[in-house]
Amino acid sequence: MSFRIAVSGAAADAVRRTVPTLVADRVASGITAQDPALWGRAAEEESAKRLGWTEAVAISRALVPEIVALRDELRAAGVDHIVLAGMGGSSLAPEVITRTVGAELTVLDSTEPGQVRAALADRLASSALVVSSKSGSTVETDSQRRVYEQAFREAGIDPVGRIVVVTDPGSPLDESARAAGYRVFNADPNVGGRYSALTAFGLVPSGLAGVDIAEILDEAEAIELPLAIDAEENPGLILGAAIAATSPRRDKLAIVADGTHIVGFADWAEQLIAESTGKEGTGILPVVLDTAAPELSARLSDVQVVRLVADAGDDVFAGDDGEIRVSGTLGAQLLVWEYATAVAGRLLGINPFDQPDVESAKIAARGLLDARPEPAPAAFVADGIEVRGTPEVIGAASDLASAIEVLLEELPADGYLSVQAYVDRVAHPELAELRDLLAARAGRPVTFGWGPRFLHSTGQFHKGGPAVGVFLQLTQRPADDLAIPERPFTFGELIAAQASGDASVLADHGRPVLTLTLTDPAAQLAGLRDAIG
């Protein structure tokens, strides 16, 4: 089989108790038939226009020859470097697809000026830019498109031959791109961004980068029938029950790559699950871990571990460690996890297709860009690091170490710490090492997200999920800012507004926030390590 799953402990109990009911209620065939009533009356209107992903394999087949032809056309013109401007689901699916098969794709999912500048400086003469935005109004991708258009023109290159657009039909981007003469691929408008891996959003950048996208669709097609059948062996029902129906609910899902050939899958699954389930005060919090993460040895009672392994075996009920093990081809994994997340939404009693709290941070950022207030003064500066935060954190802090200590003291017994790094992730990947240090210190699950891309995924959970999170923002004062053509703000001002806007929304929701603004991330990492202890 192209997908295998094994469950034990509380997860196995959840499967045995819940899957027969899901089968009797014909949930699997209902999802496949795009029945919007499965998630309740309140979710019906949104669900009715968000279930197109169940037929993405069939619909996307027609795109394959078009994408391959464009790839060949670009390569014949000497264009062999693909850059993707996209956020959330628009970038995470192509990232995992290309990394898994070893195809080169530069993913530009940041507004940090250094990261944008580095992408522009990388083989511009042989580059093409894929601009992916479902709504067509995403500020990050609009800004990236503008700066690439300018760079192409300044290099004597016609942007019309170098920019490819993926968007919903009739979006503002669809209309402006066609008017400009760009090549446009329309995606199915009945698919939400986080469920779009097997649509044009996942396939266009991946195919242009050299991936055999027909094979990805073949892999997904091989699991379609098992997912559609109302049977206790259905892998989507089993996985959905295992992650959402444990009793008491283990609402932190530790996702560990442990032998799988798929690279970066946990990051894609994180945005799918967090944005789909984190609302109305409930949800499943995905926590991306490596095999040596402190959370795994802590055996926390509210953490369910799922391991992505090479072979989960033939027996569904296997093992005695309480973990979930899954294996399979990439295409199959993508589709199974989408089904499982939809099933989890039904079990949680929420709508897995909306994101009611994502817009609040965008509104706050836009307000800051319009008003341009002076930055709030730092509570204090320690070793060149500016320290700000909500009153309950800053009021009792006198230095960097005590600020971190006070933030961790705000963690409830069932809480989590979210580290949000609005920093150049290409230049400073070492900042992610702080996650394990903080997890060991806190004794609780710790998530790590690069800003602003997490705002389009896990940001929903932070505001809409259980109110048990505390938040550590790491921001970077740019050494060299970058203008956005025909916009009254720069990339540096944009990312600063995104960080400040999200911090203000979190504070309005009563979440403790500590913001550390770095002037030299590489040099200040040692001081951060010491402060964590």
Side-chain angles (χ1 to χ4, degrees), residues 481-508:
D481 206 346
L482 181 63
I484 301 173
E486 299 180 2
R487 282 289 181 258
F489 49 84
T490 65
F491 277 101
E493 290 168 339
L494 173 55
I495 194 169
Q498 290 175 307
S500 296
D502 194 48
S504 68
V505 174
L506 289 169
D508 289 344

Side-chain angles (χ1 to χ4, degrees), residues 178-447:
R178 292 183 187 280
Y182 294 145
R183 179 64 180 271
V184 177
F185 288 87
N186 283 141
D188 184 348
N190 295 313
V191 181
R194 57 188 177 274
Y195 290 85
S196 66
L198 298 170
T199 73
F201 286 108
L203 299 179
V204 171
S206 300
L208 295 181
V211 175
D212 184 349
I213 51 177
E215 182 179 0
I216 300 292
L217 293 176
D218 289 343
E219 292 171 353
E221 186 175 29
I223 200 68
E224 280 187 317
L225 184 57
L227 287 170
I229 294 174
D230 295 306
E232 294 189 12
E233 300 77 27
N234 185 313
L237 299 182
I238 294 171
L239 181 57
I243 66 176
T246 50
S247 182
R249 181 174 295 127
R250 299 187 176 194
D251 61 357
K252 286 82 176 176
L253 186 70
I255 308 176
V256 187
D258 190 3
T260 180
H261 71 288
I262 302 174
V263 181
F265 187 84
D267 291 323
W268 175 82
E270 177 187 40
Q271 58 91 32
L272 173 68
I273 298 166
E275 192 170 40
S276 296
T277 70
K279 58 200 70 169
E280 299 180 30
T282 190
I284 304 297
L285 176 69
V287 186
V288 178
L289 302 178
D290 60 32
T291 54
E295 290 94 331
L296 297 177
S297 57
R299 297 189 175 277
L300 301 169
S301 62
D302 57 344
V303 173
Q304 176 62 60
V305 177
V306 55
R307 292 184 189 266
L308 307 171
V309 299
D311 186 356
D314 294 325
D315 297 330
V316 171
F317 299 102
D320 57 4
D321 55 10
E323 297 185 348
I324 305 166
R325 285 176 169 76
V326 297
S327 62
T329 61
L330 175 54
Q333 290 270 15
L334 292 168
L335 193 55
V336 170
W337 282 80
E338 288 175 350
Y339 264 85
T341 301
V343 171
R346 178 179 170 93
L347 294 173
L348 294 170
I350 51 90
N351 177 0
F353 305 114
D354 68 350
Q355 47 284 330
D357 300 289
V358 166
E359 190 64 25
S360 58
K362 297 179 184 179
I363 293 171
R366 285 196 293 268
L368 290 170
L369 288 171
D370 290 341
R372 302 291 182 83
E374 287 295 318
F380 56 88
V381 179
D383 300 323
I385 299 174
E386 300 174 9
V387 182
R388 297 175 176 83
T390 48
E392 70 271 26
V393 175
I394 292 302
S398 57
D399 57 22
L400 197 56
S402 63
I404 293 173
E405 181 178 1
V406 173
L407 179 69
L408 296 181
E409 287 175 352
E410 293 291 322
L411 259 174
D414 59 347
Y416 67 94
L417 167 64
S418 170
V419 183
Q420 306 171 345
Y422 292 84
V423 178
D424 183 342
R425 70 181 178 106
V426 175
H428 302 293
E430 67 277 4
L431 286 176
E433 298 170 8
L434 297 175
R435 198 218 72 84
D436 277 5
L437 295 177
L438 287 161
R441 170 76 183 277
R444 292 297 303 158
V446 176
T447 65

Side-chain angles (χ1 to χ4, degrees), residues 86-100:
M87 303 299 295
S90 297
S91 63
L92 286 163
E95 186 172 61
V96 67
I97 293 169
T98 53
R99 290 179 68 193
T100 295

Side-chain angles (χ1 to χ4, degrees), residues 14-39:
V15 170
R16 289 190 177 99
R17 184 181 64 256
T18 307
V19 168
T21 302
L22 295 171
V23 171
D25 291 345
R26 299 187 177 184
V27 171
S29 60
I31 293 174
T32 306
Q34 302 184 24
D35 179 2
L38 289 171
W39 298 273

